[in-house]
Amino acid sequence: MSDKAKCEHCGKESEDVKERPSMTSYDWDGKGEDPNRAGELCDGCAEDYRAYWQERWDEYYSSVL
Ligand SMILES: [Zn+2]
């Protein structure tokens, strides 16, 4: 057994790969795959993911305020 998980994004197997909380809040009817599920990402991809969604949320908040 290995404690290395595989990154969902780049496919890298590493001890850095951890479950990362989702930053999305899509409407979901409870059917099929949860679009807001947590993902298993390595540190590099998690940082990209976080930065990407931070930008989207910043845009969103700046457009509604
Ligand atoms: Zn990765």
Side-chain angles (χ1 to χ4, degrees), residues 7 10 42 45:
C7 175
C10 68
C42 68
C45 292

Side-chain angles (χ1 to χ4, degrees), residues 2-21 38-47:
S2 165
D3 59 356
K4 286 184 185 166
K6 195 170 175 183
C7 175
E8 283 180 11
H9 189 76
C10 68
K12 186 175 89 165
E13 284 187 35
S14 162
E15 284 159 20
D16 296 341
V17 175
K18 295 187 191 86
E19 193 171 78
R20 313 288 177 168
E40 302 261 326
L41 298 175
C42 68
D43 280 349
C45 292
E47 180 54 32

Side-chain angles (χ1 to χ4, degrees), residues 1-63:
M1 226 172 89
S2 165
D3 59 356
K4 286 184 185 166
K6 195 170 175 183
C7 175
E8 283 180 11
H9 189 76
C10 68
K12 186 175 89 165
E13 284 187 35
S14 162
E15 284 159 20
D16 296 341
V17 175
K18 295 187 191 86
E19 193 171 78
R20 313 288 177 168
S22 173
M23 288 179 72
T24 56
S25 57
Y26 296 116
D27 286 335
W28 183 45
D29 60 8
K31 292 176 200 143
E33 197 171 45
D34 181 357
N36 305 310
R37 73 196 182 287
E40 302 261 326
L41 298 175
C42 68
D43 280 349
C45 292
E47 180 54 32
D48 288 351
Y49 175 84
R50 196 199 57 76
Y52 175 83
W53 282 105
Q54 191 59 57
E55 230 173 78
R56 298 286 84 76
W57 285 115
D58 287 349
E59 277 172 20
Y60 175 74
Y61 287 121
S62 64
S63 71

